[in-house]
C-alpha cells in the first residue's frame, strides 16, 4: 500500500481528497486517520509521544502474529476452499494493518518491531477446520480487546481514531469466524 504525506499544504484535507480522487487510490479509514495524525503532528511541528509509538508497536506485533497465525491455518490443509479464501482475505487485512502501522511508526521517528522467527501456536490442537476457526476467532477476540484498551490511551486523537477503525475490522473478523462455527456472531452487547 502506498500513501502520501502532504506536508504543509494550505488545505491538507482538500489536497488529499484531490489526490485520492485523481489517482483512484483507495485508502482505508484507518490509513487515512493515521495519515491525518501524521499531518497534524507535522503542522504543529511536534512529535507524537513515545507512548504512542509503543502502543503502535504493540499493535504491530499483534498484527504480525495474526499474519503468521493465518498462514498456519492456510498451510494446515484443514480449511475447505471458501473458508481458506476467507482466511487469506483476513490475513490480507492484517498485512494492510501491519504495513500502515510500520510506516506510521517510522514517520513518528520510532523503530517498528519485526515479525518473530517463530510463534508458539497450538498447532498440535488443530485437527479440524473448526479447530482452526476457533483458534482464529480467539486471536481476533484478543485483538478487539487489545485495540479497545489502546484507543483511550493514545496521546494523538487521530491515532486513536485509526486504532478504533482497525478495532472495527477485528470485531468483524471475530463475528464472521463465530458465525462460521455456528455460534452467535455477536454474543455480547459490550466488549471488554
Amino acid at each position: 500500500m502506498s500513501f502520501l504525506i502532504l506536508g504543509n499544504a494550505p488545505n491538507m484535507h482538500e489536497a488529499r481528497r484531490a489526490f485520492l480522487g485523481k489517482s483512484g487510490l483507495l485508502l482505508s479509514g484507518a490509513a487515512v486517520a493515521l495519515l491525518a495524525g501524521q499531518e497534524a503532528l507535522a503542522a504543529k511541528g511536534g512529535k507524537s509521544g513515545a507512548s504512542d509509538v509503543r502502543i503502535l508497536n504493540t499493535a504491530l506485533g499483534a498484527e504480525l502474529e495474526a499474519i503468521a497465525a493465518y498462514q498456519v491455518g492456510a498451510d494446515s490443509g484443514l480449511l475447505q476452499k471458501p473458508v481458506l479464501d476467507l482466511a487469506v482475505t483476513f490475513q490480507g487485512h492484517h498485512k494492510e494493518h501491519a504495513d500502515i502501522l510500520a510506516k506510521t511508526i517510522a514517520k513518528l521517528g520510532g523503530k517498528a518491531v519485526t515479525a518473530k522467527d517463530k510463534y508458539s501456536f497450538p498447532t498440535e490442537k488443530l485437527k479440524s477446520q473448526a479447530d482452526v476457526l476457533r483458534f482464529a476467532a480467539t486471536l481476533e477476540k484478543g485483538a478487539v480487546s487489545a485495540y479497545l484498551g489502546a484507543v483511550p490511551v493514545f496521546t494523538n486523537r487521530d491515532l486513536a481514531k485509526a486504532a478504533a477503525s482497525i478495532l472495527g475490522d477485528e470485531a468483524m473478523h471475530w463475528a464472521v469466524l463465530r458465525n462460521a462455527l455456528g455460534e452467535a456472531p455477536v454474543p455480547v452487547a459490550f466488549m471488554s
Side-chain angles (χ1 to χ4, degrees):
M1 175 193 304
S2 60
F3 63 98
L4 174 69
I5 302 295
L6 296 171
N8 293 320
N11 187 331
M12 286 188 235
H13 297 293
E14 284 181 28
R16 183 175 51 216
R17 272 194 298 273
F19 170 78
L20 294 175
K22 289 178 186 169
S23 69
L25 179 65
L26 297 176
L27 294 177
S28 69
V32 171
L34 285 168
L35 295 177
Q38 293 170 15
E39 290 170 357
L41 290 171
K44 292 177 187 172
K47 292 190 176 195
S48 180
S51 65
D52 285 353
V53 171
R54 278 193 301 277
I55 296 165
L56 291 170
N57 256 323
T58 300
L60 175 57
E63 295 293 348
L64 295 170
E65 182 178 25
I67 293 165
Y70 275 104
Q71 193 61 51
V72 166
D75 292 344
S76 71
L78 297 170
L79 301 180
Q80 297 170 4
K81 179 73 172 130
V83 174
L84 176 60
D85 293 343
L86 183 67
V88 171
T89 297
F90 287 177
Q91 183 188 46
H93 294 172
H94 289 290
K95 286 178 180 179
E96 287 183 51
H97 299 163
D99 182 54
I100 195 69
L101 288 167
K103 288 176 180 176
T104 301
I105 290 164
K107 290 291 180 188
L108 296 175
K111 183 177 186 315
V113 298
T114 57
K116 293 180 181 179
D117 291 333
K118 184 170 173 75
Y119 291 93
S120 296
F121 296 133
T123 53
E124 69 283 351
K125 294 181 180 179
L126 303 179
K127 308 252 187 249
S128 68
Q129 177 170 281
D131 293 338
V132 174
L133 290 171
R134 197 163 285 106
F135 169 57
T138 300
L139 290 175
E140 295 290 1
K141 181 182 180 190
V144 169
S145 293
Y147 278 107
L148 185 61
V151 168
V153 296
F154 274 107
T155 304
N156 180 303
R157 300 319 302 158
D158 288 319
L159 296 177
K161 289 178 198 173
S165 176
I166 295 173
L167 182 159
D169 185 59
E170 307 297 8
M172 287 187 283
H173 291 176
W174 182 48
V176 168
L177 291 166
R178 286 184 55 85
N179 191 61
L181 285 163
E183 299 172 0
V186 184
V188 294
F190 299 95
M191 288 298 302
S192 59

